[in-house]
Amino acid sequence: MTAATVYYVSAGAGSGKIHQLVGHAATLVKTQKAKVLIAQPTKALILQTLAEIQTQFPDVPAQSIYNAGDGKAVTPEIMEYMKHADPHGGQILLITHEALKRLPNAYRVHWDLFVDEIPAVFQNVSLKVAKTHSHLTDLLKLEAITGNVAAVKIREGFKSQMEALRVNKTGDQLLGLFGEIATHLLDDNRTVMVETAEYNALCSPSAPMAQI
């Protein structure tokens, strides 16, 4: 089994990078029956790229999957699509950077990856959860990194509870706010960090209003 090839594209606006990206991706599909995954930063760019593929290469199968604001989870939809992709035919799938971050590595193995622009390395998640944080913090421990910054880890034996928080089968809207953080904590390729003083203040019984 050969490893998937990762392509990275970065250039100034108006330089024609999307045109070149589309041309190269379409060539791989047509000549090698490759499966190409294109990750772009915004939905607008995805729609622009999909339109160019359909115009320039109407014979190349292309699909886009992104959050349409209808409440449906995007990552499972992408995983299902990739899982049932034609094993003998090439195609192009367009998703956002955020979806790529959440996509398990195993699903990228048989796809060539094009990343348009540099994905954000750091992401800030700020929630006011002075009364409800224990649903998440009871499952966590801190590991000091430096100064006032600590890495947040799942406590031993609590991974299944964290997975349940991520899945949120009951659809609880309040617990749903912790889903993104739970996803990050369960991802071995990410490090979740907090300011130690603020985190300890949040977990203190006497804390008025703190943020995580």
Side-chain angles (χ1 to χ4, degrees), residues 131-160:
K131 299 295 184 182
T132 58
H133 66 84
S134 60
H135 290 288
L136 178 66
T137 56
D138 282 355
L139 312 179
L140 305 176
K141 63 179 181 179
L142 297 188
E143 294 182 1
I145 296 179
T146 181
N148 191 38
V149 176
V152 183
K153 303 292 184 180
I154 302 172
R155 290 171 56 191
E156 186 175 353
F158 285 84
K159 191 171 182 178
S160 60

Side-chain angles (χ1 to χ4, degrees), residues 35 79-89 91 93 111:
K35 291 179 178 59
M79 291 167 59
E80 190 70 10
Y81 180 89
M82 297 176 77
K83 180 179 178 181
H84 295 288
D86 181 1
H88 306 295
Q91 58 187 285
L93 175 62
W111 292 70

Side-chain angles (χ1 to χ4, degrees), residues 65 74-84 102-104 107:
I65 301 177
V74 173
T75 304
E77 184 179 352
I78 294 172
M79 291 167 59
E80 190 70 10
Y81 180 89
M82 297 176 77
K83 180 179 178 181
H84 295 288
R102 294 173 171 80
L103 189 63
Y107 281 82

Side-chain angles (χ1 to χ4, degrees), residues 9-212:
V9 179
S10 181
S15 62
K17 64 179 179 180
I18 291 180
H19 179 75
Q20 294 294 324
L21 181 155
V22 166
H24 191 44
T27 298
L28 285 175
V29 172
K30 293 165 69 174
T31 62
Q32 301 180 24
K33 295 185 178 180
K35 291 179 178 59
V36 178
L37 182 65
I38 299 178
Q40 296 185 289
T42 66
K43 301 172 192 175
L45 274 174
I46 287 176
L47 292 174
Q48 176 186 340
T49 304
L50 180 61
E52 181 158 347
I53 294 170
Q54 293 171 338
T55 300
Q56 299 295 326
F57 304 96
D59 57 332
V60 172
Q63 172 75 28
S64 63
I65 301 177
Y66 54 84
N67 189 336
D70 55 6
K72 294 182 180 179
V74 173
T75 304
E77 184 179 352
I78 294 172
M79 291 167 59
E80 190 70 10
Y81 180 89
M82 297 176 77
K83 180 179 178 181
H84 295 288
D86 181 1
H88 306 295
Q91 58 187 285
I92 297 175
L93 175 62
L94 299 102
I95 65 174
T96 64
H97 284 178
E98 286 302 311
L100 179 64
K101 293 176 185 177
R102 294 173 171 80
L103 189 63
N105 292 337
Y107 281 82
R108 309 178 198 174
V109 173
H110 302 292
W111 292 70
D112 292 332
L113 174 63
F114 287 66
V115 180
D116 181 13
E117 300 292 355
I118 302 173
V121 177
F122 295 100
Q123 179 181 355
N124 178 61
V125 179
S126 182
L127 296 174
K128 290 185 177 181
V129 287
K131 299 295 184 182
T132 58
H133 66 84
S134 60
H135 290 288
L136 178 66
T137 56
D138 282 355
L139 312 179
L140 305 176
K141 63 179 181 179
L142 297 188
E143 294 182 1
I145 296 179
T146 181
N148 191 38
V149 176
V152 183
K153 303 292 184 180
I154 302 172
R155 290 171 56 191
E156 186 175 353
F158 285 84
K159 191 171 182 178
S160 60
Q161 287 92 324
M162 186 64 69
E163 179 64 26
L165 191 61
R166 181 190 70 80
V167 174
N168 189 20
K169 285 185 177 181
T170 63
D172 187 293
Q173 292 182 333
L174 292 178
L175 293 181
L177 294 175
F178 295 123
E180 181 178 6
I181 299 176
T183 298
H184 297 335
L185 287 163
L186 289 162
D187 187 347
D188 293 334
N189 296 311
R190 283 177 175 260
T191 299
V192 178
M193 296 177 288
V194 295
E195 292 187 3
T196 309
E198 285 199 13
Y199 183 87
N200 289 336
L202 174 69
C203 296
S204 171
S206 60
M209 288 294 289
Q211 294 187 25
I212 184 172

